[in-house]
Amino acid sequence: MTHEARINTVVESLTKAPRNINLSDDSGKAKTITEVFGSNVFSLKEMSRTLPKPIFKSFMKQLRGNQTLDKVTADAIAHAVKVWAIERGASHFTHWFQPMTDSTAEKHDSFLTLKSTFYNGFEEVTALETFSGSQLLQSEPDASSFPSGGMRTTFEARGYTVWDTKSPMFIQDGPHGTAILYVPSVFISYNGEALDEKSVLLRSSEVLNKTVLEFLSMIEEVDEDHPRTKNVFTTLGTEQEYFLIDRGLYTLRPDLKITGRTLLGGLPPRHQQLEDHYFGKIPTRVLAAISECEHELAKLGVPIKTRHNEVAPAQFEVAPIFEEAMQAVDHNLLTMDVLHRVAHRHKLKVLFHEKPFRGVNGSGKHCNWSMSTDQGDNLLDPSAAPENNLRFLFFLVAILKAVLDHGDLLRAGIASASNDHRLGAHEAPPGIISVFLGSQLNEVLNAIEENRPVDYGATGTQMQNVRVKGTVLDLKVATLPSIARDLTDRNRTSPFAFTGNKFEFRAVGSKQSTSFPVTLLNSAVASSLTEMKEALRKQMGDKKVASREDQLAVIREYITKTKPIRFEGDNYSDEWVAEAAKRGLPNIVKSPDAFKCLLKDKNADMLRQTGVFSDAELTSRYHILMEKYAKDVMIEAQTLLTMVIQHVLPAAYTYRGELADTASKIVTIGLDATAESRVIKELSPVVANLQDRVQELEKLANHWTEIEDVSELAFYASEKVLPAMEAVRELADYLERNISDKLWSFPKYTELFLNI
């Protein structure tokens, strides 16, 4: 790796033409999204078309939980999906699952089967394409080769992937015009423990569904006009942020290739301080890549709605239409996968790390979460007069109680070595979990608590002007129409904010799967609803349905209990840190401290009692998270040492030698070499200091192998290794700024940000 390679790559990046693909039909007209949407998905509509009616009816009963999937039905579905997939070029199938790696896993098996026929003692082999119900239902990967936290070992390695019937199968393009059939699956051990992210998400969704249905039966009358709710599900919309950089420049950065973030490098004079990148014009090559990605995702049924520039240079976002949560999780993982593959085709590299570049905004994955019924009702829709919508108030206060009781658990759900660099950095919510409701809802809750009428004048909201989503906002310009203003403002500093008819969990990291944080949120809400359900049952006595007075009494009680978790101000401020401490809200800065919250009695008991985690699964998760954190930090430390020892220090030695040689020649001809000598004197102590810091980091890295306990290892990485890495970086970044550019082999931030 040389300066010449860096410059050549920079020049090449500037001359690359955008990749063009043909999205037209035979007539030359561009295909609309609706024409291709879901074309690669074996949807319920496709199943109803291809399956015999009794088989499809049997499968629908299984989906509703009314019966198990029998062999006849499984075989029929397997045959139908095989025919459908082969017609579209599929040669292989895979059970697609989500191990505890924040990614997905797959093993491809072909449809090929050999049938032997014997003629006069000689074997004749015939090739057939088959796919049985048993192959559809389960597969058997090596469970010991995935993170298991000790639940699986090399001598106890059996594990199973099992088809998740609620997630539709789909095909993706393979090499040379072929395709692969994907079977969304869960991953369990030989003993039935969850080894993945999806199993626990499914459990938490079922627990929440059951709890909400029981609660609704206590507060709602059922008649012909208001049928009983039979199913409740969570909805999710994931706003995916990411960076795109030139792939050639990426290959010259070992830190980006190995760790996903830059371990060295300083900001250029211009980065995001002019606030001109957000919603700016999308670069041509980037737009071409995103457009192709949207087309690929549309075929997979992923409803991407929005694309735009984000705040930092080279940072972007795509956001989908909200979906049922389990489907949304699958679709987000598909979005990340397709972005990665399509970017490669456009000679770009997508970065999902939460903080790939120091000094500019990092990337998150804002999770917009709500609950809906099979009647189409959003349970978090406040309506025009939320003070009269007791159902909404019950669920709102239950969520407040969940966050108050288990905020530290939610913090654990979004903790990682990478997200630590983003949280609390005046660009993302801090380690204090609080809830923002907005002035109107705060006034509603305060009025109910104080048993007085709601004073909308105090919130600046005139209810007589309410339209669909809020008040009318007059723009004071004759040629512009009045617009509807939302009932709440938007607090971008809040980790958990109410945004009209949903909560936005803003602290989730951009590269993590949303399964785990949503699982914890579902579980906490189910637990708080169970507590409120018991309080309501006690309040209502023998009544079949709670009266309005009964409901208000319980709502009022829990409004008072949950007051400490509500905060309307600036979550980035020092004043909030002090105020949160007074309220007893934990401020968890580092991930190892957050992971410990998984095993706190109140959290562990809740997760066990809801049935979402067993003791073994919870302990396993704790060990996996601690170990991954430690390994991530140590990989970064080793990478940083390699870069500094092999590149940064040699560049400094060469520059200092060149200056000394130049100064000697200048003095030889009788001129003043003060300028060169001054630079040498300034650089020399920095180089010596960097050598010392490198040696210290090497000692820490070597001692790492002597620590066996994963918890101790994680805290060692956090408290010892990371500060030592920071000391090395400060000095290396000083040298980047002060030695000759021709000696620097790594692409700098200016080139990474601007050459796309």
Side-chain angles (χ1 to χ4, degrees):
M1 190 184 305
T2 63
H3 172 263
E4 182 181 3
R6 171 187 148 211
I7 296 303
N8 289 341
T9 305
V10 169
V11 172
E12 182 184 350
S13 71
L14 295 173
T15 59
K16 289 175 182 173
R19 162 185 157 91
N20 290 313
I21 61 170
N22 184 14
L23 300 180
S24 304
D25 57 22
D26 294 338
S27 67
K29 181 183 177 182
K31 294 180 181 178
T32 65
I33 290 180
T34 54
E35 288 179 293
V36 300
F37 190 82
S39 57
N40 284 352
V41 180
F42 193 64
S43 61
L44 287 177
K45 181 179 179 180
E46 191 68 31
M47 293 179 80
S48 68
R49 186 184 68 82
T50 56
L51 289 173
K53 287 184 178 180
I55 295 294
F56 182 71
K57 184 178 180 180
S58 174
F59 178 69
M60 292 305 296
K61 286 183 179 179
Q62 187 274 331
L63 274 187
R64 297 187 185 102
N66 296 331
Q67 68 179 44
T68 58
L69 196 64
D70 59 78
K71 185 178 185 303
V72 173
T73 302
D75 283 337
I77 294 172
H79 174 74
V81 74
K82 180 204 72 173
V83 172
W84 174 83
I86 289 175
E87 286 175 351
R88 288 156 178 78
S91 59
H92 289 70
F93 67 92
T94 180
H95 277 221
W96 183 67
F97 59 102
Q98 303 169 26
M100 288 179 274
T101 59
D102 283 334
S103 186
T104 58
E106 55 193 66
K107 178 190 73 170
H108 298 178
D109 288 305
S110 74
F111 291 119
L112 175 66
T113 299
L114 297 180
K115 180 181 179 181
S116 295
T117 306
F118 291 89
Y119 296 99
N120 298 321
F122 292 95
E123 182 182 21
E124 179 75 19
V125 176
T126 304
L128 301 174
E129 290 172 319
T130 63
F131 187 47
S132 67
S134 60
Q135 288 175 305
L136 167 64
L137 289 178
Q138 74 177 64
S139 182
E140 186 181 326
D142 175 11
S144 68
S145 297
F146 293 97
S148 70
M151 287 196 294
R152 295 282 83 191
T153 63
T154 308
F155 68 91
E156 295 175 318
R158 194 180 298 277
Y160 301 107
T161 53
V162 182
W163 175 34
D164 171 20
T165 55
K166 290 187 176 181
S167 295
M169 292 176 275
F170 57 91
I171 59 171
Q172 289 208 76
D173 293 337
H176 317 302
T178 63
I180 301 140
L181 172 66
Y182 282 72
V183 182
S185 305
V186 299
F187 181 36
I188 59 174
S189 74
Y190 179 70
N191 298 317
E193 297 107 343
L195 296 175
D196 66 340
E197 303 283 11
K198 198 172 195 182
S199 297
V200 290
L201 177 62
L202 288 166
R203 291 177 195 167
S204 72
S205 298
E206 289 190 3
V207 168
L208 186 60
N209 173 44
K210 180 175 180 291
T211 307
V212 173
L213 290 178
E214 291 174 353
F215 195 85
L216 289 174
S217 69
M218 297 170 65
I219 65 173
E220 290 187 338
E221 297 276 4
V222 177
D223 54 37
E224 291 183 1
D225 296 327
H226 302 89
R228 183 178 300 279
T229 301
K230 297 180 180 179
N231 184 43
V232 172
F233 55 92
T234 54
T235 60
L236 188 66
T238 52
E239 303 170 27
Q240 180 67 58
E241 296 175 342
Y242 58 95
F243 283 81
L244 279 173
I245 62 173
D246 182 79
R247 191 170 189 85
L249 295 172
Y250 163 82
T251 62
L252 300 179
R253 292 287 312 215
D255 46 2
L256 282 175
K257 291 173 66 177
I258 297 171
T259 73
R261 76 178 180 107
T262 53
L263 303 174
L264 300 172
L267 287 173
R270 174 180 171 179
H271 42 92
Q272 68 181 40
Q273 69 269 52
L274 295 180
E275 301 174 337
D276 58 348
H277 191 260
Y278 188 60
F279 278 29
K281 184 176 176 60
I282 302 175
T284 302
R285 183 154 59 126
V286 171
L287 184 58
I290 297 177
S291 178
E292 183 175 349
C293 180
E294 289 176 341
H295 181 77
E296 294 290 324
L297 289 170
K299 291 191 292 184
L300 294 170
V302 181
I304 297 296
K305 178 72 172 177
T306 302
R307 64 190 183 202
H308 63 82
N309 286 6
E310 256 300 332
V311 172
Q315 187 185 31
F316 307 92
E317 179 183 300
V318 293
I321 297 171
F322 297 0
E323 303 175 277
E324 189 274 330
M326 287 176 286
Q327 182 86 304
V329 169
D330 283 356
H331 282 173
N332 177 251
L333 292 168
L334 278 174
T335 298
M336 296 171 71
D337 176 57
V338 172
L339 273 169
H340 168 78
R341 289 189 285 108
V342 171
H344 188 94
R345 299 172 196 163
H346 290 258
K347 310 299 182 186
L348 293 166
K349 175 61 183 177
V350 63
L351 305 176
F352 291 116
H353 193 286
E354 284 81 0
K355 195 74 171 178
F357 301 105
R358 183 181 183 181
V360 297
N361 279 17
S363 297
K365 186 178 297 187
H366 304 165
C367 291
N368 296 276
W369 179 94
S370 188
M371 295 179 287
S372 293
T373 74
D374 55 4
Q375 310 294 324
D377 293 335
N378 180 351
L379 296 177
L380 292 184
D381 182 2
S383 69
E387 68 273 22
N388 296 323
N389 189 342
L390 299 189
R391 185 180 71 175
F392 162 74
L393 290 172
F394 258 120
F395 289 112
L396 178 70
V397 177
I399 292 167
L400 293 177
K401 186 67 164 62
V403 180
L404 176 64
D405 289 348
H406 303 289
D408 55 350
L409 183 64
L410 298 181
R411 173 67 178 87
I414 50 93
S416 67
S418 52
N419 210 18
D420 276 358
H421 295 287
R422 165 180 167 264
L423 294 177
H426 289 268
E427 62 181 82
I432 306 167
I433 302 296
S434 65
V435 179
F436 168 83
L437 295 180
S439 58
Q440 188 200 9
L441 283 182
N442 260 303
E443 167 59 18
V444 169
L445 296 190
N446 291 339
I448 293 173
E449 181 187 19
E450 298 162 13
N451 200 18
R452 60 171 174 80
V454 177
D455 180 7
Y456 284 111
T459 69
T461 304
Q462 300 299 318
M463 290 306 292
Q464 63 268 26
N465 289 331
V466 165
R467 288 190 178 177
V468 178
K469 285 191 175 181
T471 62
V472 174
L473 192 63
D474 186 357
L475 300 183
K476 308 299 182 184
V477 178
T479 56
L480 294 177
S482 297
I483 64 170
R485 182 176 69 173
D486 288 292
L487 293 178
T488 61
D489 205 340
R490 191 173 183 189
N491 188 339
R492 290 175 56 85
T493 73
S494 175
F496 200 80
F498 188 75
T499 54
N501 59 4
K502 63 189 183 302
F503 277 96
E504 184 179 19
F505 195 4
R506 294 180 52 83
V508 181
S510 56
K511 77 173 184 178
Q512 76 174 113
S513 167
T514 54
S515 289
F516 189 44
V518 172
T519 294
L520 298 180
L521 178 58
N522 288 351
S523 305
V525 173
S527 177
S528 67
L529 273 172
T530 299
E531 180 182 328
M532 292 184 69
K533 183 178 65 176
E534 295 307 314
L536 182 60
R537 182 171 284 115
K538 183 178 179 181
Q539 176 70 31
M540 61 192 283
D542 296 332
K543 302 187 190 83
K544 289 186 177 181
V545 177
S547 67
R548 179 178 176 82
E549 291 71 24
D550 292 336
Q551 295 181 47
L552 275 172
V554 175
I555 290 171
R556 186 173 293 115
E557 175 188 350
Y558 279 86
I559 288 174
T560 303
K561 286 182 176 180
T562 58
K563 236 177 177 179
I565 203 65
R566 289 155 49 193
F567 181 64
E568 300 298 298
D570 183 359
N571 286 255
Y572 296 165
S573 67
D574 294 334
E575 291 78 10
W576 169 233
V577 175
E579 172 62 23
K582 292 179 183 177
R583 298 187 186 189
L585 303 180
N587 183 8
I588 304 172
V589 178
K590 295 293 185 181
S591 285
D593 291 311
F595 298 147
K596 289 171 63 177
C597 299
L598 285 171
L599 301 184
K600 275 188 178 180
D601 288 345
K602 68 182 180 73
N603 295 327
D605 289 347
M606 180 273 290
L607 291 170
R608 285 192 296 263
Q609 289 167 7
T610 55
V612 176
F613 283 91
S614 67
D615 281 333
E617 290 168 340
L618 200 54
T619 303
S620 161
R621 178 79 60 154
Y622 170 78
H623 282 283
I624 289 169
L625 291 170
M626 282 288 197
E627 184 178 24
K628 185 177 187 305
Y629 178 91
K631 287 180 177 179
D632 283 345
V633 173
M634 295 313 301
I635 289 170
E636 289 185 352
Q638 296 287 2
T639 304
L640 178 61
L641 285 170
T642 300
M643 294 175 70
V644 172
I645 292 170
Q646 296 183 3
H647 296 274
V648 176
L649 283 173
Y653 300 150
T654 300
Y655 185 52
R656 193 168 56 167
E658 288 180 356
L659 284 174
D661 185 51
T662 300
S664 177
K665 291 177 180 178
I666 290 173
V667 171
T668 300
I669 62 174
L671 297 177
D672 183 11
T674 301
E676 289 77 9
S677 299
R678 182 185 298 123
V679 174
I680 294 173
K681 289 178 181 178
E682 291 173 353
L683 286 178
S684 292
V686 175
V687 173
N689 195 6
L690 179 56
Q691 288 175 320
D692 293 341
R693 300 290 82 76
V694 165
Q695 289 179 357
E696 290 177 8
L697 184 56
E698 284 182 312
K699 289 179 182 178
L700 291 170
N702 291 333
H703 180 61
W704 177 73
T705 58
E706 301 172 10
I707 303 174
E708 296 183 359
D709 181 77
V710 292
S711 300
E712 183 183 348
L713 199 60
F715 280 102
Y716 178 79
S718 173
E719 296 169 0
K720 299 290 186 181
V721 178
L722 280 174
M725 290 174 60
E726 185 62 25
V728 170
R729 176 170 190 162
E730 289 293 337
L731 296 167
D733 286 354
Y734 175 89
L735 293 177
E736 181 192 58
R737 293 191 304 271
N738 288 280
I739 70 174
S740 174
D741 182 73
K742 70 177 183 179
L743 299 174
W744 202 259
S745 55
F746 304 126
K748 297 182 177 180
Y749 276 23
T750 303
E751 296 146 1
L752 294 169
F753 286 160
L754 302 180
N755 288 42
I756 52 175

